[in-house]
Amino acid sequence: MSCLVRTVSAVLFDLDGVLVESREATERVWLGWARANGIDDDELRSAMHGVRSVEVVRTLRPELDAVAESDAIERLQAEDLEGLRAIPGAADALRALREERVAVVTSGTRALAAARLGAVGIELPAVTVFAGDVSRGKPDPEGYLAAAERLGIDPVEALVVEDSPPGIEAGRAAGAATVAVTSTHAASELAAADVVIPSLEELPGVLAERFDASSVLRANGGP
């Protein structure tokens, strides 16, 4: 008996750790904030990846004005572009996809997303969901549901590409298929994803071989 192949009508990318390698810049800003607020480096790192800045502040220093603190942190990150680079395979993966079938869902602000993508030569997609566009950040599925709605697709026909457990949880909760890239977390931490890959270079092949993604992939590199 043959198995049904899942249809993918759009690909929804996280930004940091999926399209842009930004750990050094992110940690520079966050570690400065943490040390100014008496927070241990390890405690910070355990809380900061894959979620919105406002949630990190609320978790670690609930007595502070989380919105004001996160706004300042995001501004500093948008100004700190040193060491940013595109994740290997990111540009090629995006070129392999129809641009009207792609979205970015990020825990960062519009200014931060634009600065980081611009710094590595990647154009901000027409459909991008920023931190301020949702009331609940990852692992809540709100961002991915919003991206699917803006693209005019059923969320179950979306493929979410993430690098963190909260992101994978958000994609699954939205009903999407999920691909995890081991750029920031070990494969064992991302085992909840449908597919785990070591590099974004493998994404076009995964789409072609594991899914019915004919409406997403450019035919023979064409339009």
Side-chain angles (χ1 to χ4, degrees):
M1 185 173 66
S2 61
C3 296
L4 292 175
V5 177
R6 184 163 180 165
T7 297
V8 170
S9 298
V11 181
L12 316 180
F13 290 91
D14 180 36
L15 195 157
D16 294 293
V18 172
L19 297 176
V20 181
E21 174 52 78
S22 58
R23 279 177 294 182
E24 292 179 7
T26 298
E27 290 202 353
R28 273 195 299 273
V29 172
W30 272 109
L31 287 171
W33 175 84
R35 290 163 185 167
N37 286 280
I39 298 166
D40 178 79
D41 291 1
D42 290 337
E43 183 183 8
L44 171 71
R45 290 190 176 100
S46 70
M48 65 181 283
H49 291 294
V51 298
R52 297 186 301 174
S53 298
V54 69
E55 267 111 29
V56 179
V57 176
R58 284 172 180 157
T59 297
L60 297 176
R61 282 293 178 268
E63 71 277 14
L64 298 178
D65 182 336
V67 173
E69 295 288 322
S70 64
D71 284 349
I73 289 164
E74 294 282 315
R75 284 196 299 272
L76 289 172
Q77 289 188 95
E79 295 167 1
D80 187 346
L81 305 179
E82 183 180 350
L84 295 182
R85 61 186 184 277
I87 291 286
D92 287 343
L94 289 169
R95 279 193 291 268
L97 305 175
R98 299 181 187 276
E99 61 184 22
E100 72 275 12
R101 299 285 184 160
V102 168
V104 164
V105 178
T106 177
S107 297
T109 60
R110 176 184 292 272
L112 179 57
R116 286 188 168 170
L117 288 175
V120 302
I122 294 176
E123 187 175 348
L124 197 68
V127 174
T128 305
V129 178
F130 306 98
D133 295 333
V134 297
S135 59
R136 299 173 303 278
K138 303 170 189 178
D140 192 276
E142 184 181 353
Y144 284 118
L145 292 172
E149 181 178 9
R150 293 181 191 182
L151 288 169
I153 66 154
D154 189 320
V156 302
E157 292 192 358
L159 179 76
V160 165
V161 185
E162 273 280 359
D163 69 309
S164 71
I168 294 298
E169 184 178 343
R172 288 174 57 84
T178 53
V179 168
V181 185
T182 57
S183 53
T184 60
H185 289 77
S188 59
E189 298 177 86
L190 302 168
D194 295 296
V195 183
V196 179
I197 56 178
S199 168
L200 209 59
E201 294 166 324
E202 298 187 21
L203 181 62
V206 166
L207 280 164
E209 296 163 14
R210 299 284 295 270
F211 301 95
D212 175 4
S214 55
S215 66
V216 172
L217 290 163
R218 295 182 186 273
N220 300 317

